[in-house]
Amino acid sequence: DQQVKQNSPSLSVQEGRISILNCDYTNSMFDYFLWYKKYPAEGPTFLISISSIKDKNEDGRFTVFLNKSAKHLSLHIVPSQPGDSAVYFCAARSGGGADGLTFGKGTHLIIQP
Amino acid sequence: GAGVSQSPSNKVTEKGKDVELRCDPISGHTALYWYRQSLGQGLEFLIYFQGNSAPDKSGLPSDRFSAERTGGSVSTLTIQRTQQEDSAVYLCASSFLLAVQETQYFGPGTRLLVL
């Protein structure tokens, strides 16, 4: 049973527009959430995170929103740039911290010029 | 500074052979993690080390998998009697501490193909 779900395998967005990537989770023990970005043949790179005590965290063009009651988080990228084309993974962790990260299957974001 | 490095970058082996994958974490990082990404899947957590100790091995897919870490630094993941379903990208990550909010930094991975 997948505890972190990214239901959109791919997303195409025009350059300059907003990209919104979605993620749902089922495990109520998760209290820390992260987004990683991955280019082909490279390891994932940390992008942004949010603790469950917050509902929003912003870093430059990237904002993560968390809706705990809906067990849903989203990553907004605005404005989208060609270099943002990559696979984005949503990940979650529980308070113990010792179980590693639980990842979704990823969303392939394609920014069109 | 140097990031997490892994070797080999690619490995092709025959079914039934043993393979050893190596991870060099970022210097000073006490926590080390192994993940696996099979085709079309997300990353699957396998095992973590705090220092040289791996308290929980339940994430390893089978008893053919083992991992060790010596000197609080380099770690090796060994797969014995490889099977075709072991084909995947094996990723290593490290973090300064073992804590929820510690960022995990990933290496480029080892692409394993079992024929």
Side-chain angles (χ1 to χ4, degrees), chain B residues 25-53:
Chain B
I26 293 171
S27 178
H29 279 196
T30 61
L32 185 147
Y33 306 81
W34 282 99
Y35 293 84
R36 173 172 79 170
Q37 185 180 17
S38 302
L39 191 63
Q41 302 297 314
L43 281 73
E44 173 192 5
F45 170 69
L46 300 179
I47 192 169
Y48 81 94
F49 287 88
Q50 170 65 7
N52 292 336
S53 173

PDB file of all heavy atoms in Angstrom, chain B residues 25-53:
ATOM      1  N   PRO B  25      29.926   8.731   2.072  1.00  0.00           N
ATOM      2  CA  PRO B  25      29.063   9.854   2.461  1.00  0.00           C
ATOM      3  C   PRO B  25      29.846  11.152   2.535  1.00  0.00           C
ATOM      4  O   PRO B  25      31.077  11.168   2.425  1.00  0.00           O
ATOM      5  CB  PRO B  25      28.582   9.436   3.848  1.00  0.00           C
ATOM      6  CG  PRO B  25      29.722   8.634   4.401  1.00  0.00           C
ATOM      7  CD  PRO B  25      30.292   7.894   3.218  1.00  0.00           C
ATOM      8  N   ILE B  26      29.127  12.226   2.741  1.00  0.00           N
ATOM      9  CA  ILE B  26      29.765  13.517   2.953  1.00  0.00           C
ATOM     10  C   ILE B  26      30.547  13.452   4.273  1.00  0.00           C
ATOM     11  O   ILE B  26      30.038  12.918   5.269  1.00  0.00           O
ATOM     12  CB  ILE B  26      28.715  14.648   2.986  1.00  0.00           C
ATOM     13  CG1 ILE B  26      28.078  14.788   1.589  1.00  0.00           C
ATOM     14  CG2 ILE B  26      29.322  15.959   3.440  1.00  0.00           C
ATOM     15  CD1 ILE B  26      26.886  15.729   1.543  1.00  0.00           C
ATOM     16  N   SER B  27      31.743  13.971   4.251  1.00  0.00           N
ATOM     17  CA  SER B  27      32.601  13.921   5.434  1.00  0.00           C
ATOM     18  C   SER B  27      31.914  14.569   6.629  1.00  0.00           C
ATOM     19  O   SER B  27      31.371  15.679   6.541  1.00  0.00           O
ATOM     20  CB  SER B  27      33.917  14.655   5.134  1.00  0.00           C
ATOM     21  OG  SER B  27      34.747  14.665   6.276  1.00  0.00           O
ATOM     22  N   GLY B  28      31.905  13.844   7.753  1.00  0.00           N
ATOM     23  CA  GLY B  28      31.303  14.379   8.973  1.00  0.00           C
ATOM     24  C   GLY B  28      29.849  14.011   9.164  1.00  0.00           C
ATOM     25  O   GLY B  28      29.286  14.240  10.243  1.00  0.00           O
ATOM     26  N   HIS B  29      29.235  13.431   8.136  1.00  0.00           N
ATOM     27  CA  HIS B  29      27.843  13.010   8.269  1.00  0.00           C
ATOM     28  C   HIS B  29      27.777  11.693   9.046  1.00  0.00           C
ATOM     29  O   HIS B  29      28.419  10.719   8.693  1.00  0.00           O
ATOM     30  CB  HIS B  29      27.195  12.846   6.899  1.00  0.00           C
ATOM     31  CG  HIS B  29      26.752  14.145   6.304  1.00  0.00           C
ATOM     32  ND1 HIS B  29      25.873  14.219   5.240  1.00  0.00           N
ATOM     33  CD2 HIS B  29      27.048  15.424   6.643  1.00  0.00           C
ATOM     34  CE1 HIS B  29      25.651  15.490   4.954  1.00  0.00           C
ATOM     35  NE2 HIS B  29      26.355  16.237   5.775  1.00  0.00           N
ATOM     36  N   THR B  30      26.952  11.696  10.093  1.00  0.00           N
ATOM     37  CA  THR B  30      26.882  10.513  10.942  1.00  0.00           C
ATOM     38  C   THR B  30      25.832   9.512  10.468  1.00  0.00           C
ATOM     39  O   THR B  30      25.939   8.333  10.766  1.00  0.00           O
ATOM     40  CB  THR B  30      26.571  10.917  12.391  1.00  0.00           C
ATOM     41  OG1 THR B  30      25.294  11.578  12.427  1.00  0.00           O
ATOM     42  CG2 THR B  30      27.634  11.859  12.935  1.00  0.00           C
ATOM     43  N   ALA B  31      24.818   9.999   9.773  1.00  0.00           N
ATOM     44  CA  ALA B  31      23.745   9.113   9.330  1.00  0.00           C
ATOM     45  C   ALA B  31      23.894   8.791   7.850  1.00  0.00           C
ATOM     46  O   ALA B  31      24.249   9.666   7.047  1.00  0.00           O
ATOM     47  CB  ALA B  31      22.376   9.739   9.591  1.00  0.00           C
ATOM     48  N   LEU B  32      23.630   7.546   7.497  1.00  0.00           N
ATOM     49  CA  LEU B  32      23.752   7.101   6.115  1.00  0.00           C
ATOM     50  C   LEU B  32      22.569   6.219   5.788  1.00  0.00           C
ATOM     51  O   LEU B  32      22.128   5.412   6.622  1.00  0.00           O
ATOM     52  CB  LEU B  32      25.068   6.336   5.934  1.00  0.00           C
ATOM     53  CG  LEU B  32      25.449   5.868   4.522  1.00  0.00           C
ATOM     54  CD1 LEU B  32      26.967   5.899   4.356  1.00  0.00           C
ATOM     55  CD2 LEU B  32      24.899   4.507   4.203  1.00  0.00           C
ATOM     56  N   TYR B  33      22.019   6.377   4.595  1.00  0.00           N
ATOM     57  CA  TYR B  33      20.803   5.671   4.190  1.00  0.00           C
ATOM     58  C   TYR B  33      21.025   5.017   2.832  1.00  0.00           C
ATOM     59  O   TYR B  33      21.690   5.572   1.965  1.00  0.00           O
ATOM     60  CB  TYR B  33      19.633   6.641   4.048  1.00  0.00           C
ATOM     61  CG  TYR B  33      19.360   7.507   5.248  1.00  0.00           C
ATOM     62  CD1 TYR B  33      20.113   8.649   5.481  1.00  0.00           C
ATOM     63  CD2 TYR B  33      18.344   7.192   6.144  1.00  0.00           C
ATOM     64  CE1 TYR B  33      19.871   9.454   6.573  1.00  0.00           C
ATOM     65  CE2 TYR B  33      18.092   7.995   7.243  1.00  0.00           C
ATOM     66  CZ  TYR B  33      18.855   9.125   7.461  1.00  0.00           C
ATOM     67  OH  TYR B  33      18.603   9.912   8.544  1.00  0.00           O
ATOM     68  N   TRP B  34      20.399   3.854   2.661  1.00  0.00           N
ATOM     69  CA  TRP B  34      20.352   3.194   1.347  1.00  0.00           C
ATOM     70  C   TRP B  34      18.899   3.138   0.882  1.00  0.00           C
ATOM     71  O   TRP B  34      18.000   2.794   1.667  1.00  0.00           O
ATOM     72  CB  TRP B  34      20.911   1.779   1.416  1.00  0.00           C
ATOM     73  CG  TRP B  34      22.401   1.689   1.454  1.00  0.00           C
ATOM     74  CD1 TRP B  34      23.198   1.520   2.555  1.00  0.00           C
ATOM     75  CD2 TRP B  34      23.300   1.726   0.341  1.00  0.00           C
ATOM     76  NE1 TRP B  34      24.525   1.465   2.183  1.00  0.00           N
ATOM     77  CE2 TRP B  34      24.616   1.590   0.830  1.00  0.00           C
ATOM     78  CE3 TRP B  34      23.124   1.867  -1.045  1.00  0.00           C
ATOM     79  CZ2 TRP B  34      25.745   1.580   0.003  1.00  0.00           C
ATOM     80  CZ3 TRP B  34      24.240   1.852  -1.869  1.00  0.00           C
ATOM     81  CH2 TRP B  34      25.528   1.720  -1.346  1.00  0.00           C
ATOM     82  N   TYR B  35      18.721   3.461  -0.400  1.00  0.00           N
ATOM     83  CA  TYR B  35      17.410   3.385  -1.050  1.00  0.00           C
ATOM     84  C   TYR B  35      17.565   2.618  -2.357  1.00  0.00           C
ATOM     85  O   TYR B  35      18.663   2.476  -2.893  1.00  0.00           O
ATOM     86  CB  TYR B  35      16.870   4.780  -1.373  1.00  0.00           C
ATOM     87  CG  TYR B  35      16.523   5.652  -0.209  1.00  0.00           C
ATOM     88  CD1 TYR B  35      17.496   6.411   0.440  1.00  0.00           C
ATOM     89  CD2 TYR B  35      15.214   5.741   0.255  1.00  0.00           C
ATOM     90  CE1 TYR B  35      17.178   7.224   1.515  1.00  0.00           C
ATOM     91  CE2 TYR B  35      14.882   6.559   1.324  1.00  0.00           C
ATOM     92  CZ  TYR B  35      15.863   7.304   1.941  1.00  0.00           C
ATOM     93  OH  TYR B  35      15.539   8.110   3.001  1.00  0.00           O
ATOM     94  N   ARG B  36      16.427   2.178  -2.879  1.00  0.00           N
ATOM     95  CA  ARG B  36      16.418   1.505  -4.175  1.00  0.00           C
ATOM     96  C   ARG B  36      15.283   2.092  -4.995  1.00  0.00           C
ATOM     97  O   ARG B  36      14.192   2.341  -4.479  1.00  0.00           O
ATOM     98  CB  ARG B  36      16.209   0.001  -3.959  1.00  0.00           C
ATOM     99  CG  ARG B  36      16.005  -0.792  -5.226  1.00  0.00           C
ATOM    100  CD  ARG B  36      16.006  -2.268  -4.949  1.00  0.00           C
ATOM    101  NE  ARG B  36      14.763  -2.762  -4.406  1.00  0.00           N
ATOM    102  CZ  ARG B  36      14.483  -4.056  -4.276  1.00  0.00           C
ATOM    103  NH1 ARG B  36      15.379  -4.961  -4.644  1.00  0.00           N
ATOM    104  NH2 ARG B  36      13.338  -4.433  -3.762  1.00  0.00           N
ATOM    105  N   GLN B  37      15.549   2.331  -6.279  1.00  0.00           N
ATOM    106  CA  GLN B  37      14.506   2.800  -7.176  1.00  0.00           C
ATOM    107  C   GLN B  37      14.400   1.832  -8.337  1.00  0.00           C
ATOM    108  O   GLN B  37      15.285   1.781  -9.200  1.00  0.00           O
ATOM    109  CB  GLN B  37      14.783   4.214  -7.696  1.00  0.00           C
ATOM    110  CG  GLN B  37      13.640   4.755  -8.542  1.00  0.00           C
ATOM    111  CD  GLN B  37      13.870   6.146  -9.071  1.00  0.00           C
ATOM    112  OE1 GLN B  37      14.986   6.646  -9.102  1.00  0.00           O
ATOM    113  NE2 GLN B  37      12.799   6.800  -9.498  1.00  0.00           N
ATOM    114  N   SER B  38      13.328   1.069  -8.338  1.00  0.00           N
ATOM    115  CA  SER B  38      13.066   0.170  -9.453  1.00  0.00           C
ATOM    116  C   SER B  38      12.381   0.958 -10.561  1.00  0.00           C
ATOM    117  O   SER B  38      11.834   2.036 -10.329  1.00  0.00           O
ATOM    118  CB  SER B  38      12.191  -0.997  -9.003  1.00  0.00           C
ATOM    119  OG  SER B  38      12.808  -1.694  -7.941  1.00  0.00           O
ATOM    120  N   LEU B  39      12.363   0.389 -11.758  1.00  0.00           N
ATOM    121  CA  LEU B  39      11.826   1.091 -12.922  1.00  0.00           C
ATOM    122  C   LEU B  39      10.384   1.528 -12.694  1.00  0.00           C
ATOM    123  O   LEU B  39       9.533   0.717 -12.329  1.00  0.00           O
ATOM    124  CB  LEU B  39      11.918   0.171 -14.151  1.00  0.00           C
ATOM    125  CG  LEU B  39      11.640   0.839 -15.502  1.00  0.00           C
ATOM    126  CD1 LEU B  39      12.680   1.915 -15.783  1.00  0.00           C
ATOM    127  CD2 LEU B  39      11.636  -0.198 -16.619  1.00  0.00           C
ATOM    128  N   GLY B  40      10.130   2.825 -12.875  1.00  0.00           N
ATOM    129  CA  GLY B  40       8.773   3.347 -12.750  1.00  0.00           C
ATOM    130  C   GLY B  40       8.262   3.487 -11.328  1.00  0.00           C
ATOM    131  O   GLY B  40       7.081   3.765 -11.117  1.00  0.00           O
ATOM    132  N   GLN B  41       9.146   3.288 -10.372  1.00  0.00           N
ATOM    133  CA  GLN B  41       8.733   3.363  -8.973  1.00  0.00           C
ATOM    134  C   GLN B  41       9.415   4.526  -8.271  1.00  0.00           C
ATOM    135  O   GLN B  41      10.383   5.099  -8.773  1.00  0.00           O
ATOM    136  CB  GLN B  41       9.096   2.057  -8.244  1.00  0.00           C
ATOM    137  CG  GLN B  41       8.485   0.819  -8.858  1.00  0.00           C
ATOM    138  CD  GLN B  41       6.977   0.837  -8.791  1.00  0.00           C
ATOM    139  OE1 GLN B  41       6.387   1.142  -7.756  1.00  0.00           O
ATOM    140  NE2 GLN B  41       6.329   0.506  -9.895  1.00  0.00           N
ATOM    141  N   GLY B  42       8.895   4.851  -7.106  1.00  0.00           N
ATOM    142  CA  GLY B  42       9.568   5.819  -6.262  1.00  0.00           C
ATOM    143  C   GLY B  42      10.739   5.176  -5.544  1.00  0.00           C
ATOM    144  O   GLY B  42      11.032   4.001  -5.729  1.00  0.00           O
ATOM    145  N   LEU B  43      11.400   5.949  -4.733  1.00  0.00           N
ATOM    146  CA  LEU B  43      12.529   5.420  -3.979  1.00  0.00           C
ATOM    147  C   LEU B  43      12.006   4.604  -2.798  1.00  0.00           C
ATOM    148  O   LEU B  43      11.118   5.034  -2.070  1.00  0.00           O
ATOM    149  CB  LEU B  43      13.414   6.549  -3.468  1.00  0.00           C
ATOM    150  CG  LEU B  43      14.369   7.180  -4.460  1.00  0.00           C
ATOM    151  CD1 LEU B  43      13.651   8.060  -5.455  1.00  0.00           C
ATOM    152  CD2 LEU B  43      15.456   7.956  -3.743  1.00  0.00           C
ATOM    153  N   GLU B  44      12.595   3.438  -2.629  1.00  0.00           N
ATOM    154  CA  GLU B  44      12.207   2.524  -1.556  1.00  0.00           C
ATOM    155  C   GLU B  44      13.321   2.505  -0.514  1.00  0.00           C
ATOM    156  O   GLU B  44      14.476   2.169  -0.834  1.00  0.00           O
ATOM    157  CB  GLU B  44      11.998   1.135  -2.149  1.00  0.00           C
ATOM    158  CG  GLU B  44      11.761   0.032  -1.146  1.00  0.00           C
ATOM    159  CD  GLU B  44      11.863  -1.348  -1.781  1.00  0.00           C
ATOM    160  OE1 GLU B  44      12.219  -1.434  -2.979  1.00  0.00           O
ATOM    161  OE2 GLU B  44      11.615  -2.345  -1.075  1.00  0.00           O
ATOM    162  N   PHE B  45      13.001   2.852   0.724  1.00  0.00           N
ATOM    163  CA  PHE B  45      13.994   2.881   1.789  1.00  0.00           C
ATOM    164  C   PHE B  45      14.406   1.457   2.154  1.00  0.00           C
ATOM    165  O   PHE B  45      13.563   0.577   2.351  1.00  0.00           O
ATOM    166  CB  PHE B  45      13.418   3.602   2.996  1.00  0.00           C
ATOM    167  CG  PHE B  45      14.257   3.497   4.238  1.00  0.00           C
ATOM    168  CD1 PHE B  45      15.488   4.130   4.312  1.00  0.00           C
ATOM    169  CD2 PHE B  45      13.818   2.772   5.322  1.00  0.00           C
ATOM    170  CE1 PHE B  45      16.268   4.029   5.445  1.00  0.00           C
ATOM    171  CE2 PHE B  45      14.581   2.664   6.463  1.00  0.00           C
ATOM    172  CZ  PHE B  45      15.804   3.290   6.533  1.00  0.00           C
ATOM    173  N   LEU B  46      15.706   1.233   2.292  1.00  0.00           N
ATOM    174  CA  LEU B  46      16.220  -0.099   2.618  1.00  0.00           C
ATOM    175  C   LEU B  46      16.747  -0.183   4.041  1.00  0.00           C
ATOM    176  O   LEU B  46      16.345  -1.060   4.816  1.00  0.00           O
ATOM    177  CB  LEU B  46      17.336  -0.484   1.637  1.00  0.00           C
ATOM    178  CG  LEU B  46      16.975  -0.541   0.153  1.00  0.00           C
ATOM    179  CD1 LEU B  46      18.199  -0.919  -0.681  1.00  0.00           C
ATOM    180  CD2 LEU B  46      15.828  -1.502  -0.096  1.00  0.00           C
ATOM    181  N   ILE B  47      17.675   0.704   4.392  1.00  0.00           N
ATOM    182  CA  ILE B  47      18.358   0.590   5.676  1.00  0.00           C
ATOM    183  C   ILE B  47      19.042   1.910   5.994  1.00  0.00           C
ATOM    184  O   ILE B  47      19.369   2.679   5.087  1.00  0.00           O
ATOM    185  CB  ILE B  47      19.378  -0.573   5.640  1.00  0.00           C
ATOM    186  CG1 ILE B  47      19.907  -0.911   7.041  1.00  0.00           C
ATOM    187  CG2 ILE B  47      20.526  -0.259   4.685  1.00  0.00           C
ATOM    188  CD1 ILE B  47      20.712  -2.209   7.091  1.00  0.00           C
ATOM    189  N   TYR B  48      19.227   2.192   7.283  1.00  0.00           N
ATOM    190  CA  TYR B  48      20.001   3.363   7.664  1.00  0.00           C
ATOM    191  C   TYR B  48      21.069   2.970   8.681  1.00  0.00           C
ATOM    192  O   TYR B  48      20.951   1.952   9.381  1.00  0.00           O
ATOM    193  CB  TYR B  48      19.087   4.455   8.235  1.00  0.00           C
ATOM    194  CG  TYR B  48      18.702   4.244   9.697  1.00  0.00           C
ATOM    195  CD1 TYR B  48      19.439   4.841  10.731  1.00  0.00           C
ATOM    196  CD2 TYR B  48      17.600   3.479  10.023  1.00  0.00           C
ATOM    197  CE1 TYR B  48      19.091   4.648  12.049  1.00  0.00           C
ATOM    198  CE2 TYR B  48      17.244   3.278  11.346  1.00  0.00           C
ATOM    199  CZ  TYR B  48      17.981   3.872  12.358  1.00  0.00           C
ATOM    200  OH  TYR B  48      17.628   3.671  13.670  1.00  0.00           O
ATOM    201  N   PHE B  49      22.099   3.783   8.762  1.00  0.00           N
ATOM    202  CA  PHE B  49      23.162   3.637   9.741  1.00  0.00           C
ATOM    203  C   PHE B  49      23.261   4.909  10.571  1.00  0.00           C
ATOM    204  O   PHE B  49      23.229   6.014  10.050  1.00  0.00           O
ATOM    205  CB  PHE B  49      24.525   3.397   9.058  1.00  0.00           C
ATOM    206  CG  PHE B  49      24.667   2.037   8.459  1.00  0.00           C
ATOM    207  CD1 PHE B  49      24.244   1.790   7.161  1.00  0.00           C
ATOM    208  CD2 PHE B  49      25.233   0.999   9.191  1.00  0.00           C
ATOM    209  CE1 PHE B  49      24.381   0.526   6.595  1.00  0.00           C
ATOM    210  CE2 PHE B  49      25.378  -0.258   8.635  1.00  0.00           C
ATOM    211  CZ  PHE B  49      24.937  -0.498   7.344  1.00  0.00           C
ATOM    212  N   GLN B  50      23.388   4.714  11.865  1.00  0.00           N
ATOM    213  CA  GLN B  50      23.760   5.804  12.752  1.00  0.00           C
ATOM    214  C   GLN B  50      25.158   5.436  13.245  1.00  0.00           C
ATOM    215  O   GLN B  50      25.323   4.506  14.032  1.00  0.00           O
ATOM    216  CB  GLN B  50      22.768   5.921  13.907  1.00  0.00           C
ATOM    217  CG  GLN B  50      23.193   6.865  15.013  1.00  0.00           C
ATOM    218  CD  GLN B  50      23.286   8.306  14.560  1.00  0.00           C
ATOM    219  OE1 GLN B  50      22.915   8.669  13.454  1.00  0.00           O
ATOM    220  NE2 GLN B  50      23.783   9.150  15.429  1.00  0.00           N
ATOM    221  N   GLY B  51      26.154   6.157  12.761  1.00  0.00           N
ATOM    222  CA  GLY B  51      27.521   5.706  12.993  1.00  0.00           C
ATOM    223  C   GLY B  51      27.718   4.400  12.239  1.00  0.00           C
ATOM    224  O   GLY B  51      27.369   4.287  11.072  1.00  0.00           O
ATOM    225  N   ASN B  52      28.239   3.393  12.921  1.00  0.00           N
ATOM    226  CA  ASN B  52      28.444   2.082  12.298  1.00  0.00           C
ATOM    227  C   ASN B  52      27.294   1.122  12.548  1.00  0.00           C
ATOM    228  O   ASN B  52      27.329  -0.016  12.085  1.00  0.00           O
ATOM    229  CB  ASN B  52      29.729   1.438  12.831  1.00  0.00           C
ATOM    230  CG  ASN B  52      30.966   2.175  12.374  1.00  0.00           C
ATOM    231  OD1 ASN B  52      30.953   2.853  11.364  1.00  0.00           O
ATOM    232  ND2 ASN B  52      32.044   2.052  13.141  1.00  0.00           N
ATOM    233  N   SER B  53      26.291   1.576  13.261  1.00  0.00           N
ATOM    234  CA  SER B  53      25.225   0.691  13.692  1.00  0.00           C
ATOM    235  C   SER B  53      23.996   0.807  12.808  1.00  0.00           C
ATOM    236  O   SER B  53      23.561   1.910  12.466  1.00  0.00           O
ATOM    237  CB  SER B  53      24.859   1.043  15.137  1.00  0.00           C
ATOM    238  OG  SER B  53      23.729   0.317  15.540  1.00  0.00           O
TER     239      SER B  53
END
